[in-house]
Amino acid sequence: MADDCIFCKIVAGELPAEVVDEDDHTVSFMDINPWTRGHALVIPREHARNLFEIDDDNLAYVAAAAKRLALRARERLGCDGVNLLNSAEPAAWQTVFHFHVHVIPRYEDDPLRLPGAPQQVDQDELRAVAEELR
Ligand code: 5GP
Ligand code: ZN
């Protein structure tokens, strides 16, 4: 458990949360400020700051729990789709530094919009960045 981590405190039962799913490695609970009806967070029990630090096993446990919750949101809440969202570091909007995946039920008439717009780039630029990533 990391000092002063609110999500570690939720895992430990020291802070209240509306828990909706638990297993040996993960806890899922309602986001306190939901973007849509049913917006939940899935976290590993073991503290990791974010995607850069979580180990592959815990990442897989969280992914499986997120899928479980997505299927349940469709069945119980009747959502039309789901977004999974993860943010790593403040540049990518992370505000709580214990790895979490947002499971956001989506409804045909909900108000959410894509936060960015696809940009046109030329092939040379695409090729150059691909080369850096290989
Ligand atoms: P991030 O911005 O790091 O991707 O997501 C953090 C999320 O945690 C936010 O959506 C925020 O509403 C949620 N959150 C922050 N503090 C608490 C809390 O004390 N309890 C719960 N249930 N959610 C929280
Ligand atoms: Zn933590």
Side-chain angles (χ1 to χ4, degrees):
M1 172 162 168
D3 288 346
D4 291 331
C5 172
I6 55 172
F7 287 179
C8 279
K9 290 195 170 113
I10 287 174
V11 171
E14 292 169 11
L15 269 182
E18 290 293 340
V19 173
V20 291
D21 187 273
E22 287 188 81
D23 62 26
D24 287 349
H25 302 282
T26 69
V27 180
S28 302
F29 53 92
M30 305 314 295
D31 193 296
I32 205 165
N33 295 127
W35 292 10
T36 64
R37 187 165 188 268
H39 180 173
L41 302 172
V42 183
I43 67 174
R45 289 183 183 275
E46 190 175 313
H47 182 87
R49 177 181 169 88
N50 57 33
L51 184 66
F52 295 122
E53 295 191 1
I54 190 169
D55 65 60
D56 289 355
D57 284 346
N58 275 307
L59 184 61
Y61 297 138
V62 169
K67 179 183 175 183
R68 198 155 68 225
L69 215 50
L71 288 167
R72 207 182 302 163
R74 190 173 64 172
E75 184 192 317
R76 308 272 178 86
L77 306 181
C79 63
D80 303 303
V82 166
N83 283 115
L84 296 187
L85 174 70
N86 170 257
S87 304
E89 299 297 341
W93 308 326
Q94 186 177 12
T95 61
V96 175
F97 295 92
H98 178 131
F99 182 86
H100 52 279
V101 169
H102 298 253
V103 179
I104 307 173
R106 298 298 309 276
Y107 305 90
E108 295 291 356
D109 58 353
D110 75 38
L112 300 193
R113 296 292 173 261
L114 272 179
Q119 299 165 47
Q120 300 281 348
V121 291
D122 65 42
Q123 285 301 316
D124 288 345
E125 167 58 13
L126 225 49
R127 202 171 298 120
V129 69
E131 193 54 46
E132 285 187 60
L133 284 169
R134 275 183 200 115

XYZ file of all heavy atoms in Angstrom, residues 6-7 10 15-18 29-35 39 41 85-89 92-98 100-102, ligand 1:
288
model
N -5.436 7.285 -2.330
C -6.849 7.094 -1.987
C -7.370 5.744 -2.486
O -8.237 5.148 -1.854
C -7.749 8.249 -2.494
C -7.603 8.463 -3.985
C -7.485 9.521 -1.736
C -8.621 9.473 -4.542
N -6.854 5.258 -3.597
C -7.351 3.972 -4.095
C -6.819 2.814 -3.248
O -7.534 1.824 -3.040
C -7.023 3.800 -5.575
C -7.879 4.672 -6.492
C -7.685 4.650 -7.874
C -8.883 5.496 -5.995
C -8.467 5.439 -8.719
C -9.671 6.293 -6.836
C -9.451 6.261 -8.209
N -9.199 2.658 -0.471
C -10.446 1.986 -0.847
C -10.247 0.472 -0.812
O -11.077 -0.270 -0.274
C -10.937 2.478 -2.235
C -11.493 3.911 -2.099
C -11.979 1.532 -2.822
C -11.879 4.586 -3.402
N -11.462 3.867 3.129
C -12.291 4.917 2.526
C -13.498 4.223 1.908
O -13.365 3.135 1.330
C -11.517 5.646 1.426
C -10.703 6.886 1.773
C -10.073 7.471 0.508
C -11.560 7.941 2.463
N -14.673 4.842 2.012
C -15.862 4.200 1.442
C -15.870 4.245 -0.085
O -15.305 5.171 -0.680
C -17.010 5.040 2.010
C -16.411 6.364 2.315
C -14.960 6.131 2.647
N -16.484 3.244 -0.685
C -16.681 3.243 -2.138
C -17.831 2.293 -2.443
O -18.080 1.342 -1.696
C -15.417 2.779 -2.854
N -18.507 2.559 -3.553
C -19.589 1.663 -4.008
C -18.958 0.556 -4.841
O -18.840 0.643 -6.068
C -20.622 2.447 -4.826
C -21.455 3.415 -4.021
C -22.391 2.704 -3.024
O -22.676 1.497 -3.206
O -22.820 3.361 -2.069
N -15.276 -0.237 -8.580
C -16.215 0.592 -7.814
C -16.663 1.771 -8.667
O -16.031 2.109 -9.676
C -15.557 1.081 -6.507
C -14.224 1.765 -6.698
C -14.143 3.133 -6.867
C -13.045 1.022 -6.735
C -12.919 3.767 -7.050
C -11.808 1.648 -6.922
C -11.756 3.018 -7.073
N -17.770 2.397 -8.231
C -18.319 3.508 -9.009
C -17.411 4.725 -8.935
O -16.921 5.083 -7.854
C -19.714 3.902 -8.481
C -20.741 2.782 -8.426
S -20.797 1.785 -9.908
C -21.371 2.978 -11.107
N -17.198 5.376 -10.095
C -16.489 6.653 -10.108
C -17.356 7.692 -9.376
O -18.557 7.773 -9.604
C -16.226 7.103 -11.546
C -15.230 8.245 -11.619
O -15.536 9.352 -11.107
O -14.140 8.045 -12.172
N -16.704 8.468 -8.523
C -17.447 9.419 -7.686
C -18.068 10.553 -8.513
O -19.074 11.148 -8.105
C -16.522 9.965 -6.571
C -17.323 10.426 -5.367
C -15.584 11.035 -7.084
C -16.458 10.625 -4.127
N -17.492 10.832 -9.678
C -18.037 11.856 -10.591
C -18.259 11.234 -11.971
O -17.480 11.478 -12.902
C -17.082 13.056 -10.717
C -16.915 13.813 -9.418
O -15.801 14.043 -8.956
N -18.010 14.208 -8.809
N -19.303 10.447 -12.111
C -19.470 9.660 -13.348
C -19.711 10.509 -14.594
O -20.426 11.507 -14.542
C -20.702 8.801 -13.034
C -21.422 9.515 -11.941
C -20.383 10.227 -11.130
N -19.097 10.069 -15.696
C -19.336 10.728 -16.994
C -20.657 10.276 -17.584
O -21.283 11.004 -18.359
C -18.214 10.376 -17.976
C -16.881 10.955 -17.635
C -16.491 11.581 -16.491
C -15.725 10.949 -18.489
N -15.175 11.957 -16.572
C -14.676 11.585 -17.784
C -15.471 10.462 -19.762
C -13.398 11.748 -18.321
C -14.199 10.628 -20.302
C -13.182 11.269 -19.589
N -20.644 4.556 -14.809
C -19.184 4.756 -14.940
C -18.466 4.182 -13.712
O -18.687 4.616 -12.582
C -18.930 6.254 -15.076
C -17.484 6.657 -15.222
N -17.114 7.950 -15.495
C -16.323 5.960 -15.128
C -15.792 8.040 -15.563
N -15.287 6.837 -15.335
N -14.638 2.270 -12.061
C -13.177 2.180 -12.150
C -12.750 0.791 -11.723
O -13.273 0.262 -10.734
C -12.522 3.213 -11.217
C -12.895 4.674 -11.453
C -12.314 5.549 -10.329
C -12.401 5.158 -12.812
N -11.019 3.469 -20.693
C -10.100 4.606 -20.739
C -9.049 4.449 -19.662
O -9.362 4.088 -18.518
C -10.880 5.909 -20.510
C -10.051 7.197 -20.388
C -9.430 7.574 -21.731
C -10.914 8.332 -19.868
N -7.807 4.688 -20.024
C -6.726 4.698 -19.043
C -5.822 5.878 -19.344
O -5.511 6.158 -20.495
C -5.917 3.395 -19.104
C -4.645 3.487 -18.279
O -3.558 3.648 -18.827
N -4.787 3.423 -16.974
N -5.409 6.566 -18.293
C -4.543 7.734 -18.458
C -3.258 7.499 -17.674
O -3.308 7.091 -16.518
C -5.239 8.984 -17.916
O -6.489 9.163 -18.557
N -2.123 7.767 -18.311
C -0.831 7.588 -17.650
C -0.072 8.907 -17.655
O 0.299 9.416 -18.719
C -0.004 6.504 -18.354
N 0.094 9.446 -16.460
C 0.794 10.720 -16.205
C -0.122 11.917 -16.509
O -1.068 11.814 -17.283
C 2.111 10.826 -16.981
C 3.140 9.737 -16.643
C 3.608 9.784 -15.171
O 3.434 10.824 -14.517
O 4.133 8.765 -14.691
N -1.378 13.025 -19.867
C -2.457 12.225 -20.454
C -3.699 12.250 -19.563
O -4.551 11.368 -19.661
C -1.982 10.795 -20.677
N -3.795 13.258 -18.688
C -4.978 13.521 -17.848
C -5.052 12.668 -16.585
O -6.093 12.662 -15.925
C -6.307 13.345 -18.622
C -6.429 14.087 -19.887
C -5.906 15.309 -20.180
C -7.135 13.682 -21.064
N -6.240 15.685 -21.452
C -6.986 14.704 -22.023
C -7.882 12.553 -21.388
C -7.546 14.637 -23.288
C -8.442 12.488 -22.647
C -8.274 13.515 -23.588
N -3.994 11.911 -16.230
C -4.097 11.123 -14.997
C -4.142 12.066 -13.795
O -3.326 12.993 -13.681
C -2.902 10.163 -14.853
C -3.059 9.229 -13.657
C -1.927 8.219 -13.521
O -0.892 8.324 -14.179
N -2.116 7.238 -12.653
N -5.096 11.832 -12.900
C -5.210 12.652 -11.689
C -5.068 11.839 -10.411
O -4.754 12.392 -9.364
C -6.566 13.397 -11.644
O -7.635 12.441 -11.633
C -6.730 14.334 -12.828
N -5.339 10.528 -10.482
C -5.144 9.652 -9.319
C -4.058 8.647 -9.687
O -4.175 7.940 -10.704
C -6.448 8.933 -8.922
C -6.177 7.948 -7.781
C -7.519 9.931 -8.508
N -3.014 8.582 -8.850
C -1.810 7.866 -9.273
C -1.740 6.453 -8.688
O -0.753 6.058 -8.068
C -0.581 8.733 -8.981
C -0.630 9.977 -9.817
C -1.218 11.131 -9.323
C -0.187 9.962 -11.126
C -1.331 12.276 -10.115
C -0.293 11.090 -11.939
C -0.863 12.249 -11.421
N -2.819 5.719 -8.906
C -2.912 4.266 -8.681
C -3.606 3.766 -9.938
O -4.735 4.205 -10.237
C -3.728 3.991 -7.406
C -3.943 2.540 -7.082
N -3.695 2.019 -5.817
C -4.418 1.502 -7.824
C -3.987 0.721 -5.801
N -4.435 0.388 -7.016
N -5.694 2.635 -12.910
C -7.126 2.327 -12.999
C -7.582 2.394 -14.442
O -7.058 3.168 -15.240
C -7.959 3.282 -12.137
C -7.670 4.733 -12.389
N -6.591 5.390 -11.844
C -8.318 5.650 -13.143
C -6.590 6.650 -12.241
N -7.620 6.825 -13.038
N -8.564 1.566 -14.734
C -9.228 1.612 -16.034
C -10.655 2.070 -15.807
O -11.368 1.516 -14.955
C -9.198 0.226 -16.719
C -10.120 0.201 -17.940
C -7.768 -0.127 -17.133
N -11.043 3.108 -16.539
C -12.431 3.561 -16.507
C -13.260 2.641 -17.403
O -12.877 2.388 -18.547
C -12.558 4.972 -17.081
C -11.809 6.034 -16.329
N -12.449 6.966 -15.549
C -10.488 6.316 -16.255
C -11.548 7.791 -15.028
N -10.349 7.425 -15.441
P -8.059 9.849 -13.802
O -8.365 11.305 -13.953
O -6.810 9.640 -12.969
O -8.055 9.045 -15.065
O -9.290 9.241 -12.994
C -9.485 9.416 -11.644
C -10.961 9.185 -11.406
O -11.125 8.903 -10.026
C -11.824 10.405 -11.714
O -12.783 10.046 -12.704
C -12.480 10.757 -10.379
O -13.826 11.133 -10.501
C -12.318 9.476 -9.581
N -12.153 9.686 -8.159
C -11.325 10.562 -7.557
N -11.402 10.454 -6.213
C -12.293 9.455 -5.968
C -12.797 8.855 -4.760
O -12.430 9.227 -3.638
N -13.709 7.861 -4.895
C -14.126 7.433 -6.130
N -15.029 6.447 -6.146
N -13.673 7.963 -7.290
C -12.769 8.954 -7.199
